[in-house]
C-alpha cells in the first residue's frame, strides 16, 4: 500500500516539475503579455514548485519509512502521543492569539496609510471570518465535550 502512495507522490512530483518548467518557459517567451497571461507563468511556477517539493519530500519519506519499519512505528507512536498532541494544540492556540493581534494591527495600519478601501475591507472580512469560525468551533466543541 505504501508503494502505491509512493507512485502517486512521484507522479505528482513529475507533474509539478513539468508545471514549474512550463512557468519558466512562459516567463521567458511571454515577456510583453497583458492581462491573465502576465500572471499565469508565475502561478505555474508557484504551484509547480509547491507541488514538486511537497510531493517529492513525501515520496522520499515514505520510501525511507518503508525500508525501516521500526522507525515508522516510532514515528506513528510519537504522532499519536497525547502529550505531543496537547503541545501542538497549545502552540496552535498561542499562534492564533498572536495572529489576531497582528491581523488587527495590520488592518489598522492599512486604514491609517489610506490604502484603497477594498484592501482593508478584504482584510477586515478575513479577520471577521477567522473570529466567527473560532466562535463556531467553540460552540461545536462545547456541545461535543
Amino acid at each position: 500500500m505504501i508503494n502505491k502512495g509512493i507512485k502517486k507522490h512521484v507522479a505528482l512530483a513529475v507533474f509539478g516539475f513539468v508545471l514549474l518548467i512550463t512557468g519558466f518557459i512562459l516567463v521567458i517567451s511571454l515577456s510583453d503579455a497583458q492581462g491573465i497571461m502576465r500572471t499565469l507563468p508565475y502561478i505555474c511556477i508557484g504551484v509547480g514548485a509547491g507541488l514538486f517539493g511537497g510531493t517529492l519530500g513525501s515520496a522520499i519519506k515514505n520510501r525511507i519509512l518503508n525500508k525501516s519499519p521500526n522507525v515508522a512505528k516510532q514515528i506513528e507512536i510519537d504522532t499519536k502521543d497525547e502529550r505531543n498532541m496537547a503541545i501542538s494544540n497549545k502552540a496552535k492556540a498561542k499562534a492564533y492569539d498572536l495572529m489576531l493581534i497582528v491581523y488587527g494591527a495590520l488592518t489598522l495600519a492599512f486604514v491609517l496609510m489610506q490604502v484603497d478601501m477594498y484592501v482593508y475591507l478584504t482584510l477586515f472580512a478575513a479577520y471577521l471570518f477567522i473570529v466567527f469560525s473560532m466562535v463556531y468551533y467553540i460552540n461545536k466543541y462545547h456541545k461535543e465535550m
Side-chain angles (χ1 to χ4, degrees):
M1 183 166 159
I2 293 177
N3 283 334
K4 188 176 182 179
I6 291 173
K7 289 178 183 176
K8 182 183 81 176
H9 288 296
V10 169
L12 284 173
V14 169
F15 176 70
F17 185 72
V18 169
L19 198 60
L20 178 70
I21 296 301
T22 303
F24 281 121
I25 291 172
L26 287 175
V27 165
I28 293 169
S29 64
L30 299 174
S31 60
D32 57 345
Q34 299 293 325
I36 188 72
M37 291 306 291
R38 188 172 181 186
T39 57
L40 182 64
Y42 299 105
I43 292 172
C44 288
I45 290 171
V47 172
L51 200 58
F52 176 69
T55 55
L56 188 63
S58 295
I60 292 170
K61 180 182 134 197
N62 285 346
R63 182 167 169 82
I64 290 171
L65 292 179
N66 201 15
K67 287 184 176 181
S68 56
N70 290 337
V71 175
K73 184 74 175 174
Q74 185 62 40
I75 289 174
E76 182 181 346
I77 290 170
D78 287 345
T79 56
K80 291 182 179 177
D81 182 40
E82 287 184 23
R83 180 179 174 271
N84 290 340
M85 292 174 65
I87 290 171
S88 175
N89 288 338
K90 191 170 183 174
K92 288 176 186 175
K94 289 291 182 185
Y96 171 79
D97 291 341
L98 286 173
M99 183 193 70
L100 285 181
I101 294 169
V102 169
Y103 222 82
L106 187 64
T107 304
L108 182 63
F110 280 171
V111 169
L112 293 175
M113 291 187 321
Q114 297 177 347
V115 297
D116 291 334
M117 183 180 278
Y118 68 88
V119 173
Y120 61 81
L121 285 179
T122 304
L123 283 173
F124 189 68
Y127 181 84
L128 287 179
F129 175 75
I130 291 167
V131 170
F132 284 127
S133 66
M134 179 196 67
V135 171
Y136 168 77
Y137 282 113
I138 285 175
N139 285 331
K140 178 182 174 183
Y141 291 138
H142 271 285
K143 289 177 184 174
E144 289 179 1
M145 296 180 184

